[in-house]
Amino acid sequence: TMSGFDWNNCNPSKPISALRIHGVDDAVVPIDGSIGAWGGWGGAPHADEVVSFWASLNGTTTIDSVFLAPSTNVFYHRNGQNGNEVWYYRIDNWGHRWPGSSSNTGTIASEVISDFFRDSRLHDLVPRTVLCTPWVAGVGGAGHETNNGLGDL
């Protein structure tokens, strides 16, 4: 997710494709943004609002939704500026854990991330400094923002 500070001070220099994977039952980084203030994280918005922000910034014009049984709802915000996309994997009945091949969620995070970066339409994803970076990969924001515009994988 984006911290409250990042959210309130976000002024991206240009659109950038984004990927979010979030467990609906995540108690560490709650999907509703009610994360505690420890470590400067308080004040984060709802995950859906963060995704909407990046989709709007990228000027996406279509949303394709897919259900991956048994518990993943995927929203692909497509046809954005320069071919940018925003992918949102929202996993029901899932907490702050990495969804892998044995997770029975319909999502294998490592494959999703690989597909995201392999997608030829996502040509904007090269290491560089940006003013405001979404957590590109991680369950409920697992990982840490970096200054290379990619986030930790």
Side-chain angles (χ1 to χ4, degrees), residues 15-42:
I16 183 172
S17 295
L19 165 63
R20 181 180 193 98
I21 302 172
H22 204 123
V24 172
D25 295 339
D26 190 334
V28 177
V29 182
I31 198 165
D32 67 1
S34 62
I35 190 169
W38 54 269
W41 290 108

PDB file of all heavy atoms in Angstrom, residues 15-42:
ATOM      1  N   PRO A  15       2.861   8.905 -15.498  1.00  0.00           N
ATOM      2  CA  PRO A  15       2.166   7.646 -15.229  1.00  0.00           C
ATOM      3  C   PRO A  15       3.124   6.464 -15.207  1.00  0.00           C
ATOM      4  O   PRO A  15       4.147   6.478 -15.901  1.00  0.00           O
ATOM      5  CB  PRO A  15       1.181   7.530 -16.396  1.00  0.00           C
ATOM      6  CG  PRO A  15       1.023   8.919 -16.915  1.00  0.00           C
ATOM      7  CD  PRO A  15       2.356   9.589 -16.680  1.00  0.00           C
ATOM      8  N   ILE A  16       2.793   5.455 -14.420  1.00  0.00           N
ATOM      9  CA  ILE A  16       3.586   4.233 -14.352  1.00  0.00           C
ATOM     10  C   ILE A  16       2.631   3.070 -14.098  1.00  0.00           C
ATOM     11  O   ILE A  16       1.680   3.186 -13.318  1.00  0.00           O
ATOM     12  CB  ILE A  16       4.670   4.312 -13.257  1.00  0.00           C
ATOM     13  CG1 ILE A  16       5.531   3.055 -13.254  1.00  0.00           C
ATOM     14  CG2 ILE A  16       4.065   4.561 -11.900  1.00  0.00           C
ATOM     15  CD1 ILE A  16       6.736   3.127 -12.339  1.00  0.00           C
ATOM     16  N   SER A  17       2.830   1.976 -14.786  1.00  0.00           N
ATOM     17  CA  SER A  17       2.016   0.786 -14.562  1.00  0.00           C
ATOM     18  C   SER A  17       2.189   0.319 -13.133  1.00  0.00           C
ATOM     19  O   SER A  17       3.235   0.544 -12.513  1.00  0.00           O
ATOM     20  CB  SER A  17       2.424  -0.320 -15.535  1.00  0.00           C
ATOM     21  OG  SER A  17       2.133   0.053 -16.861  1.00  0.00           O
ATOM     22  N   ALA A  18       1.150  -0.330 -12.593  1.00  0.00           N
ATOM     23  CA  ALA A  18       1.202  -0.769 -11.194  1.00  0.00           C
ATOM     24  C   ALA A  18       0.521  -2.123 -11.043  1.00  0.00           C
ATOM     25  O   ALA A  18      -0.412  -2.447 -11.773  1.00  0.00           O
ATOM     26  CB  ALA A  18       0.532   0.260 -10.301  1.00  0.00           C
ATOM     27  N   LEU A  19       0.994  -2.880 -10.078  1.00  0.00           N
ATOM     28  CA  LEU A  19       0.433  -4.183  -9.721  1.00  0.00           C
ATOM     29  C   LEU A  19       0.195  -4.188  -8.228  1.00  0.00           C
ATOM     30  O   LEU A  19       1.064  -3.780  -7.451  1.00  0.00           O
ATOM     31  CB  LEU A  19       1.415  -5.302 -10.094  1.00  0.00           C
ATOM     32  CG  LEU A  19       1.175  -6.688  -9.485  1.00  0.00           C
ATOM     33  CD1 LEU A  19      -0.159  -7.264  -9.943  1.00  0.00           C
ATOM     34  CD2 LEU A  19       2.320  -7.618  -9.859  1.00  0.00           C
ATOM     35  N   ARG A  20      -0.982  -4.651  -7.820  1.00  0.00           N
ATOM     36  CA  ARG A  20      -1.290  -4.786  -6.400  1.00  0.00           C
ATOM     37  C   ARG A  20      -1.893  -6.162  -6.175  1.00  0.00           C
ATOM     38  O   ARG A  20      -2.811  -6.568  -6.890  1.00  0.00           O
ATOM     39  CB  ARG A  20      -2.271  -3.722  -5.952  1.00  0.00           C
ATOM     40  CG  ARG A  20      -2.580  -3.830  -4.485  1.00  0.00           C
ATOM     41  CD  ARG A  20      -3.566  -2.768  -4.046  1.00  0.00           C
ATOM     42  NE  ARG A  20      -3.600  -2.721  -2.608  1.00  0.00           N
ATOM     43  CZ  ARG A  20      -2.932  -1.856  -1.862  1.00  0.00           C
ATOM     44  NH1 ARG A  20      -2.185  -0.942  -2.423  1.00  0.00           N
ATOM     45  NH2 ARG A  20      -3.020  -1.892  -0.553  1.00  0.00           N
ATOM     46  N   ILE A  21      -1.368  -6.868  -5.175  1.00  0.00           N
ATOM     47  CA  ILE A  21      -1.909  -8.153  -4.737  1.00  0.00           C
ATOM     48  C   ILE A  21      -2.219  -7.971  -3.255  1.00  0.00           C
ATOM     49  O   ILE A  21      -1.324  -7.646  -2.476  1.00  0.00           O
ATOM     50  CB  ILE A  21      -0.897  -9.299  -4.950  1.00  0.00           C
ATOM     51  CG1 ILE A  21      -0.495  -9.409  -6.417  1.00  0.00           C
ATOM     52  CG2 ILE A  21      -1.471 -10.615  -4.424  1.00  0.00           C
ATOM     53  CD1 ILE A  21       0.641 -10.385  -6.686  1.00  0.00           C
ATOM     54  N   HIS A  22      -3.482  -8.164  -2.875  1.00  0.00           N
ATOM     55  CA  HIS A  22      -3.864  -7.864  -1.494  1.00  0.00           C
ATOM     56  C   HIS A  22      -4.874  -8.880  -0.980  1.00  0.00           C
ATOM     57  O   HIS A  22      -5.868  -9.166  -1.635  1.00  0.00           O
ATOM     58  CB  HIS A  22      -4.491  -6.463  -1.424  1.00  0.00           C
ATOM     59  CG  HIS A  22      -4.389  -5.835  -0.081  1.00  0.00           C
ATOM     60  ND1 HIS A  22      -3.785  -4.620   0.118  1.00  0.00           N
ATOM     61  CD2 HIS A  22      -4.783  -6.252   1.140  1.00  0.00           C
ATOM     62  CE1 HIS A  22      -3.827  -4.310   1.400  1.00  0.00           C
ATOM     63  NE2 HIS A  22      -4.428  -5.286   2.039  1.00  0.00           N
ATOM     64  N   GLY A  23      -4.601  -9.419   0.207  1.00  0.00           N
ATOM     65  CA  GLY A  23      -5.534 -10.299   0.886  1.00  0.00           C
ATOM     66  C   GLY A  23      -6.577  -9.475   1.615  1.00  0.00           C
ATOM     67  O   GLY A  23      -6.244  -8.560   2.369  1.00  0.00           O
ATOM     68  N   VAL A  24      -7.856  -9.791   1.402  1.00  0.00           N
ATOM     69  CA  VAL A  24      -8.943  -9.039   2.022  1.00  0.00           C
ATOM     70  C   VAL A  24      -8.886  -9.138   3.542  1.00  0.00           C
ATOM     71  O   VAL A  24      -9.248  -8.191   4.238  1.00  0.00           O
ATOM     72  CB  VAL A  24     -10.305  -9.530   1.469  1.00  0.00           C
ATOM     73  CG1 VAL A  24     -11.465  -8.920   2.234  1.00  0.00           C
ATOM     74  CG2 VAL A  24     -10.403  -9.211  -0.014  1.00  0.00           C
ATOM     75  N   ASP A  25      -8.415 -10.264   4.080  1.00  0.00           N
ATOM     76  CA  ASP A  25      -8.362 -10.464   5.529  1.00  0.00           C
ATOM     77  C   ASP A  25      -7.007 -10.111   6.133  1.00  0.00           C
ATOM     78  O   ASP A  25      -6.687 -10.541   7.241  1.00  0.00           O
ATOM     79  CB  ASP A  25      -8.712 -11.913   5.869  1.00  0.00           C
ATOM     80  CG  ASP A  25     -10.152 -12.262   5.516  1.00  0.00           C
ATOM     81  OD1 ASP A  25     -10.985 -11.336   5.384  1.00  0.00           O
ATOM     82  OD2 ASP A  25     -10.446 -13.460   5.355  1.00  0.00           O
ATOM     83  N   ASP A  26      -6.209  -9.328   5.440  1.00  0.00           N
ATOM     84  CA  ASP A  26      -4.886  -8.922   5.935  1.00  0.00           C
ATOM     85  C   ASP A  26      -5.048  -8.044   7.171  1.00  0.00           C
ATOM     86  O   ASP A  26      -5.600  -6.947   7.098  1.00  0.00           O
ATOM     87  CB  ASP A  26      -4.145  -8.158   4.836  1.00  0.00           C
ATOM     88  CG  ASP A  26      -2.685  -7.892   5.159  1.00  0.00           C
ATOM     89  OD1 ASP A  26      -2.329  -7.836   6.359  1.00  0.00           O
ATOM     90  OD2 ASP A  26      -1.912  -7.728   4.211  1.00  0.00           O
ATOM     91  N   ALA A  27      -4.559  -8.530   8.316  1.00  0.00           N
ATOM     92  CA  ALA A  27      -4.641  -7.757   9.561  1.00  0.00           C
ATOM     93  C   ALA A  27      -3.399  -6.897   9.771  1.00  0.00           C
ATOM     94  O   ALA A  27      -3.403  -5.984  10.596  1.00  0.00           O
ATOM     95  CB  ALA A  27      -4.820  -8.711  10.748  1.00  0.00           C
ATOM     96  N   VAL A  28      -2.322  -7.153   9.035  1.00  0.00           N
ATOM     97  CA  VAL A  28      -1.091  -6.369   9.155  1.00  0.00           C
ATOM     98  C   VAL A  28      -1.220  -5.082   8.345  1.00  0.00           C
ATOM     99  O   VAL A  28      -0.898  -4.000   8.820  1.00  0.00           O
ATOM    100  CB  VAL A  28       0.139  -7.181   8.692  1.00  0.00           C
ATOM    101  CG1 VAL A  28       1.401  -6.341   8.748  1.00  0.00           C
ATOM    102  CG2 VAL A  28       0.290  -8.441   9.545  1.00  0.00           C
ATOM    103  N   VAL A  29      -1.673  -5.202   7.114  1.00  0.00           N
ATOM    104  CA  VAL A  29      -1.931  -4.052   6.240  1.00  0.00           C
ATOM    105  C   VAL A  29      -3.389  -4.179   5.789  1.00  0.00           C
ATOM    106  O   VAL A  29      -3.674  -4.690   4.712  1.00  0.00           O
ATOM    107  CB  VAL A  29      -0.980  -4.038   5.025  1.00  0.00           C
ATOM    108  CG1 VAL A  29      -1.248  -2.807   4.158  1.00  0.00           C
ATOM    109  CG2 VAL A  29       0.471  -4.071   5.464  1.00  0.00           C
ATOM    110  N   PRO A  30      -4.338  -3.743   6.634  1.00  0.00           N
ATOM    111  CA  PRO A  30      -5.754  -3.913   6.307  1.00  0.00           C
ATOM    112  C   PRO A  30      -6.131  -3.249   4.980  1.00  0.00           C
ATOM    113  O   PRO A  30      -5.667  -2.151   4.670  1.00  0.00           O
ATOM    114  CB  PRO A  30      -6.471  -3.233   7.474  1.00  0.00           C
ATOM    115  CG  PRO A  30      -5.465  -3.225   8.588  1.00  0.00           C
ATOM    116  CD  PRO A  30      -4.130  -3.089   7.915  1.00  0.00           C
ATOM    117  N   ILE A  31      -6.965  -3.929   4.244  1.00  0.00           N
ATOM    118  CA  ILE A  31      -7.379  -3.448   2.931  1.00  0.00           C
ATOM    119  C   ILE A  31      -8.118  -2.112   3.021  1.00  0.00           C
ATOM    120  O   ILE A  31      -8.110  -1.323   2.089  1.00  0.00           O
ATOM    121  CB  ILE A  31      -8.219  -4.517   2.195  1.00  0.00           C
ATOM    122  CG1 ILE A  31      -8.270  -4.228   0.691  1.00  0.00           C
ATOM    123  CG2 ILE A  31      -9.598  -4.657   2.820  1.00  0.00           C
ATOM    124  CD1 ILE A  31      -8.766  -5.389  -0.145  1.00  0.00           C
ATOM    125  N   ASP A  32      -8.737  -1.847   4.179  1.00  0.00           N
ATOM    126  CA  ASP A  32      -9.507  -0.604   4.331  1.00  0.00           C
ATOM    127  C   ASP A  32      -8.653   0.605   4.692  1.00  0.00           C
ATOM    128  O   ASP A  32      -9.165   1.703   4.884  1.00  0.00           O
ATOM    129  CB  ASP A  32     -10.616  -0.786   5.359  1.00  0.00           C
ATOM    130  CG  ASP A  32     -10.103  -0.988   6.773  1.00  0.00           C
ATOM    131  OD1 ASP A  32      -8.877  -0.978   7.008  1.00  0.00           O
ATOM    132  OD2 ASP A  32     -10.958  -1.170   7.668  1.00  0.00           O
ATOM    133  N   GLY A  33      -7.332   0.401   4.801  1.00  0.00           N
ATOM    134  CA  GLY A  33      -6.438   1.515   5.094  1.00  0.00           C
ATOM    135  C   GLY A  33      -6.299   1.836   6.563  1.00  0.00           C
ATOM    136  O   GLY A  33      -5.685   2.838   6.930  1.00  0.00           O
ATOM    137  N   SER A  34      -6.831   1.008   7.430  1.00  0.00           N
ATOM    138  CA  SER A  34      -6.807   1.300   8.867  1.00  0.00           C
ATOM    139  C   SER A  34      -5.513   0.859   9.547  1.00  0.00           C
ATOM    140  O   SER A  34      -5.499   0.623  10.750  1.00  0.00           O
ATOM    141  CB  SER A  34      -8.004   0.633   9.558  1.00  0.00           C
ATOM    142  OG  SER A  34      -7.949  -0.781   9.413  1.00  0.00           O
ATOM    143  N   ILE A  35      -4.432   0.802   8.804  1.00  0.00           N
ATOM    144  CA  ILE A  35      -3.134   0.418   9.358  1.00  0.00           C
ATOM    145  C   ILE A  35      -2.716   1.407  10.441  1.00  0.00           C
ATOM    146  O   ILE A  35      -2.986   2.598  10.351  1.00  0.00           O
ATOM    147  CB  ILE A  35      -2.069   0.331   8.240  1.00  0.00           C
ATOM    148  CG1 ILE A  35      -0.787  -0.310   8.757  1.00  0.00           C
ATOM    149  CG2 ILE A  35      -1.812   1.684   7.613  1.00  0.00           C
ATOM    150  CD1 ILE A  35       0.194  -0.663   7.640  1.00  0.00           C
ATOM    151  N   GLY A  36      -2.058   0.897  11.456  1.00  0.00           N
ATOM    152  CA  GLY A  36      -1.604   1.741  12.555  1.00  0.00           C
ATOM    153  C   GLY A  36      -0.506   2.697  12.133  1.00  0.00           C
ATOM    154  O   GLY A  36       0.081   2.582  11.057  1.00  0.00           O
ATOM    155  N   ALA A  37      -0.226   3.643  12.997  1.00  0.00           N
ATOM    156  CA  ALA A  37       0.751   4.690  12.692  1.00  0.00           C
ATOM    157  C   ALA A  37       2.197   4.244  12.871  1.00  0.00           C
ATOM    158  O   ALA A  37       3.107   4.990  12.511  1.00  0.00           O
ATOM    159  CB  ALA A  37       0.484   5.906  13.566  1.00  0.00           C
ATOM    160  N   TRP A  38       2.443   3.036  13.392  1.00  0.00           N
ATOM    161  CA  TRP A  38       3.816   2.586  13.628  1.00  0.00           C
ATOM    162  C   TRP A  38       4.614   2.666  12.342  1.00  0.00           C
ATOM    163  O   TRP A  38       4.113   2.385  11.260  1.00  0.00           O
ATOM    164  CB  TRP A  38       3.845   1.172  14.210  1.00  0.00           C
ATOM    165  CG  TRP A  38       3.088   0.156  13.402  1.00  0.00           C
ATOM    166  CD1 TRP A  38       1.786  -0.208  13.540  1.00  0.00           C
ATOM    167  CD2 TRP A  38       3.584  -0.611  12.291  1.00  0.00           C
ATOM    168  NE1 TRP A  38       1.432  -1.143  12.601  1.00  0.00           N
ATOM    169  CE2 TRP A  38       2.520  -1.419  11.816  1.00  0.00           C
ATOM    170  CE3 TRP A  38       4.802  -0.694  11.648  1.00  0.00           C
ATOM    171  CZ2 TRP A  38       2.647  -2.286  10.753  1.00  0.00           C
ATOM    172  CZ3 TRP A  38       4.918  -1.566  10.572  1.00  0.00           C
ATOM    173  CH2 TRP A  38       3.852  -2.350  10.154  1.00  0.00           C
ATOM    174  N   GLY A  39       5.803   3.095  12.447  1.00  0.00           N
ATOM    175  CA  GLY A  39       6.701   3.178  11.300  1.00  0.00           C
ATOM    176  C   GLY A  39       6.303   4.199  10.255  1.00  0.00           C
ATOM    177  O   GLY A  39       6.779   4.164   9.143  1.00  0.00           O
ATOM    178  N   GLY A  40       5.376   5.096  10.583  1.00  0.00           N
ATOM    179  CA  GLY A  40       4.957   6.126   9.647  1.00  0.00           C
ATOM    180  C   GLY A  40       3.929   5.690   8.635  1.00  0.00           C
ATOM    181  O   GLY A  40       3.692   6.372   7.640  1.00  0.00           O
ATOM    182  N   TRP A  41       3.255   4.553   8.886  1.00  0.00           N
ATOM    183  CA  TRP A  41       2.325   4.017   7.896  1.00  0.00           C
ATOM    184  C   TRP A  41       0.905   4.532   8.025  1.00  0.00           C
ATOM    185  O   TRP A  41       0.114   4.380   7.115  1.00  0.00           O
ATOM    186  CB  TRP A  41       2.305   2.492   7.976  1.00  0.00           C
ATOM    187  CG  TRP A  41       3.588   1.935   7.485  1.00  0.00           C
ATOM    188  CD1 TRP A  41       4.571   1.366   8.242  1.00  0.00           C
ATOM    189  CD2 TRP A  41       4.078   1.936   6.154  1.00  0.00           C
ATOM    190  NE1 TRP A  41       5.628   1.007   7.456  1.00  0.00           N
ATOM    191  CE2 TRP A  41       5.344   1.347   6.161  1.00  0.00           C
ATOM    192  CE3 TRP A  41       3.561   2.382   4.941  1.00  0.00           C
ATOM    193  CZ2 TRP A  41       6.095   1.181   5.013  1.00  0.00           C
ATOM    194  CZ3 TRP A  41       4.314   2.223   3.801  1.00  0.00           C
ATOM    195  CH2 TRP A  41       5.567   1.621   3.850  1.00  0.00           C
ATOM    196  N   GLY A  42       0.514   5.087   9.127  1.00  0.00           N
ATOM    197  CA  GLY A  42      -0.870   5.492   9.355  1.00  0.00           C
ATOM    198  C   GLY A  42      -1.402   6.439   8.293  1.00  0.00           C
ATOM    199  O   GLY A  42      -0.673   7.152   7.627  1.00  0.00           O
TER     200      GLY A  42
END
